[in-house]
Amino acid sequence: QVQLVESGGGLVQAGGSLRLSCAASGRTFSDYGMGWFRQAPGKEREFVATIIGSGGVTRYADSLKGRFTISRDNAKNTVYLQMNSLKLEDTAVYYCAARRGGGSASLAFLYNYWGQGTQVTVSS
């Protein structure tokens, strides 16, 4: 069992930055691929970014490349999402997820554990 707790969300003006954190507990963190997803009101959950267990490979949603960066610190059992140049349409609840086996994935159903989410609101 893996427990995931996100933090770092909040209210930010358009053009600003936020860094989300997701702290994991319960198992060897590097055994898990990690992902970030988001869900805006009235919309389906969508893929944001993913990183493999060792941290050496990352993938992003095409629309977010260049603005968002995923990283992880396995010594701290934490995965991060740095979000820059935020836009109104980035407003959503952001979730981190863990996938057994250490691989990355962009499909939500491939993840085994989910955090409770953290709200990000971008204002004009």
Side-chain angles (χ1 to χ4, degrees), residues 29-101:
F29 186 57
S30 58
D31 288 346
Y32 291 83
M34 299 298 295
W36 285 98
F37 292 77
R38 68 185 184 183
Q39 188 166 18
K43 296 187 177 181
E44 294 189 352
R45 190 169 298 190
E46 66 171 348
F47 167 70
V48 173
T50 181
I51 187 168
I52 64 172
S54 66
V57 177
T58 59
R59 282 191 289 154
Y60 298 89
D62 287 342
S63 61
L64 300 176
K65 285 179 183 176
R67 294 197 299 122
F68 288 18
T69 303
I70 188 172
S71 62
R72 65 190 297 161
D73 184 339
N74 287 344
K76 296 182 178 179
N77 286 8
T78 302
V79 63
Y80 304 97
L81 183 69
Q82 178 68 43
M83 306 184 294
N84 298 327
S85 302
L86 284 162
K87 304 176 181 180
L88 297 179
E89 53 264 39
D90 294 320
T91 295
V93 177
Y94 284 72
Y95 299 90
C96 74
R99 180 169 185 252
R100 287 192 292 261

Side-chain angles (χ1 to χ4, degrees), residues 7-23:
S7 61
L11 177 65
V12 63
Q13 285 192 325
S17 298
L18 278 178
R19 187 175 83 155
L20 305 183
S21 300
C22 174

